[in-house]
Every structure is written in structure tokens, then in C-alpha cells.
Amino acid sequence: MTRAARFHGWGASPVVEDVPEPVHEPGRVLVEVKAAALSHLDLTVATGSFAMKPALPYVGGVEASGVVLAADDLPAGTQVLLRGGGLGLLRDGCWTERVSVSPKAVSPLAAPLPHEVAASFFVPATTAYVALHDVARLEPGEEVVVAGAAGAVGAMVAQQARLAGATVTGLVGRADQLDRVPEGVRAVAADDAAALAELASARSASLLVDTLGGAGLVERTRWVRPGGRAVVIGYVLGASVTVDLPSWLLDDVALLPVNMVRHERRAREVAPSLVARLASGELGVEVERFDLSEIAEALEALRAGRVRGRAVVTFG
């Protein structure tokens, strides 16, 4: 038997329990999972209201890092990222000590990474790359404001913008989050009225990358000079915003969406170069670790916004 975290009902917490030990079969990859990510997508699937959902009971988890135990064409011991192939969406996922998966869900890493990082880098790192380079088409020397720079995606956007030669200002929610902004980024707290007034008055940024959404989105676009653009990644502060069209036309800032479902192929293309930068220390992902036995508490912390960076479960 092997340990796994399974959902037995929609809206319920996962239960850590023994499940049958997987075995290697031809055409499949048997993996020992070392660390598995916890994401808002996992929470959404667990409600039962998402368009994709596995049959109950199911093992959660859409992303993980592990090592190959047996495969047709990968040596044992190869470090791999588990993602895709319906894991945690249409079938059992990665919150388990050992798992047998389709080769479509297995990506060998271009360079070794700590398993906690390998399990959690893909979404923030590839989203940041696509937002900056494919959607915003960032040029060296630009001034960029990142709204939500203390979060996993926002922090990665700030780091990659600096590597691309931009000057970066990172907005965080509160003064006690200023130390979570990446090195080399000017940090501004949303409760610092004077700093926000300065951003609005100067209007010197050419690009806003916004992970927050909500009613304040339009106001934040006014930190960008006319002819600039605002790339919208997330909506953690609210899914709706009202745009006064005459004012928006006068402001002359383009609103650009980032649809990572459409850009999934591109994300996989750029992932190896991002792994290399993570391995070299040019990029970093903040991770908060939980033991598998703590997964229910970890999901509650994630839901409440109490996780620093990305949450991962490890298998001790």
C-alpha cells in the first residue's frame, strides 16, 4: 500500500489513507513522488463545480516532482515534473507517494532542482514569461509596475522583468509584506497613500502587470503612461471591474489578457530555459512546505491566503 490524500465528497477535506500500491505497466511511467504542489486549481476541482472533475473518490494534485522508478524509455532515478494528462482533473493526481502515469504527464527536468521547487515553479515561472515576453512584448529599459509582487506569480514577474532589463516597482498589500518583494525591486505597500499618489502623479511606467484584478484595476492602469499597456494575469481581489469607456479612451492604456490555457504549448517550450535559471539561482520560488499529513490544514491556509509563495506537500 501507499499513502495518498483522497477526496471522498465534493467540498470535503481530503483524507490521508492507504491506497493500492501501483505497479509498472508497459507504456506507463512509475514515479516516486517527492513533493506535490497545492494550487487554487486543486481547490476549484474539489468543489465539484468545475468543468473537469474525476470520479469520487479521487487523489488530488495537478503538479508534482519525483523520480522515475520504472519506465520504458527513461532511466530509473530521472527527476521528472508530473503535469498534464488529466492528473487531478480527470483522474487521480499527484498527492500520493507513488503513482503510475501516462508518459504525456512526464517531463524530465533540464537541470536538477530541489523537489519542492520543481513541483511548484511551472505555473508562476511560465506565466511570468508569457505575460512579459509574448503578451506585453517587454523591451529592455522599460519601467514596469507589478501589482501583487509578494505572490508567487507576481514575484516571478518582477524577477524576470529585471532580468530582461526593466526597472521594476512591486506593489504589495501591506507594509509587513515589503520584505517579500524580490531583491532589486522597489517595494510599495498599498496602504502607503503617499507612494500610490506618487505613482499616479508620475505616470512613468510603460507596463503594469496585474495579478490582483478587482475594482482597483482601472485605477492601477492610471499609473501607466498613455500608449502603455496593462497585462492582466489574475483576479484575487475580485473577478469583476467596471470600465468607464470615455475615461479609458482618454487614459489610452491597453488592457491585455493572459490566457495560459491557450499558451500551454508555449509554456512547455520555455520551461527548460526557466529551469536552467532556477538551477543557477538567477530565479527563485518561495515555497512553504507541509507534510502530507497536514494537507487539509495546508489547503485551508491556501484558501485563506496565508501561504507564503507556493504551498507544497512533501512525503517524509
Side-chain angles (χ1 to χ4, degrees):
M1 303 294 281
T2 187
R3 288 190 309 155
R6 290 205 297 180
F7 292 99
H8 288 264
W10 304 119
S13 295
V15 177
V16 177
E17 58 192 354
D18 289 335
V19 298
E21 182 78 29
V23 296
H24 178 240
E25 305 171 72
R28 305 279 291 176
V29 183
L30 184 63
V31 176
E32 181 177 1
V33 180
K34 298 294 188 178
L38 308 181
S39 71
H40 288 282
L41 178 56
D42 294 312
L43 293 174
T44 300
V45 174
T47 66
S49 60
F50 193 54
M52 293 184 284
K53 55 186 176 183
L56 291 170
Y58 78 95
V59 178
V62 299
E63 288 180 299
S65 171
V67 295
V68 172
L69 294 176
D72 295 343
D73 56 1
L74 287 173
T78 301
Q79 185 180 16
V80 292
L81 168 68
L82 298 181
R83 175 183 168 82
L87 288 176
L89 296 172
L90 299 174
R91 54 189 56 86
D92 284 340
C94 307
W95 295 345
T96 181
E97 291 174 313
R98 285 170 292 281
V99 63
S100 175
V101 298
S102 163
K104 293 180 180 180
V106 178
S107 299
L109 292 186
L113 292 177
H115 285 289
E116 294 87 347
V117 174
S120 56
F121 85 90
F122 188 90
V123 169
T126 62
T127 300
Y129 186 96
V130 168
L132 289 170
H133 298 287
D134 295 348
V135 177
R137 301 190 181 280
L138 179 68
E139 297 288 342
E142 290 198 60
E143 185 174 330
V144 179
V145 176
V146 181
V153 175
M156 188 59 74
V157 170
Q159 292 175 72
Q160 291 189 34
R162 284 198 68 246
L163 286 174
T167 300
V168 185
T169 297
L171 176 73
V172 299
R174 305 179 307 274
D176 62 358
Q177 296 175 319
L178 292 172
D179 64 343
R180 294 171 60 181
V181 173
E183 186 178 352
V185 174
R186 176 196 174 201
V188 173
D191 54 8
D192 185 341
L196 299 192
E198 179 190 340
L199 286 171
S201 174
R203 204 174 176 184
S204 57
S206 55
L207 172 65
L208 167 73
V209 181
D210 197 283
T211 71
L212 302 177
L217 171 62
V218 171
E219 190 62 36
R220 292 190 293 275
T221 66
R222 296 191 175 117
W223 301 343
V224 177
R225 62 174 176 251
R229 59 261 194 246
V231 171
V232 182
I233 294 177
Y235 42 86
V236 296
L237 294 186
S240 299
V241 62
T242 300
V243 177
D244 177 70
L245 289 177
S247 298
W248 177 62
L249 292 170
L250 184 64
D251 291 335
D252 192 14
V253 174
L255 283 173
L256 303 173
V258 177
N259 177 356
M260 288 307 293
V261 174
R262 186 170 70 85
H263 290 290
E264 175 69 20
R265 178 178 294 180
R266 178 62 170 156
R268 290 184 178 276
E269 288 175 357
V270 302
S273 65
L274 296 168
V275 168
R277 288 191 144 181
L278 286 160
S280 71
E282 288 182 278
L283 295 175
V285 178
E286 185 174 18
V287 174
E288 187 167 349
R289 299 166 182 80
F290 299 87
D291 185 78
L292 181 63
S293 63
E294 303 171 309
I295 192 167
E297 295 86 345
L299 289 172
E300 284 303 314
L302 177 65
R303 186 180 288 110
R306 299 195 306 269
V307 174
R308 287 185 64 115
R310 294 218 64 192
V312 300
V313 291
T314 57
F315 299 83

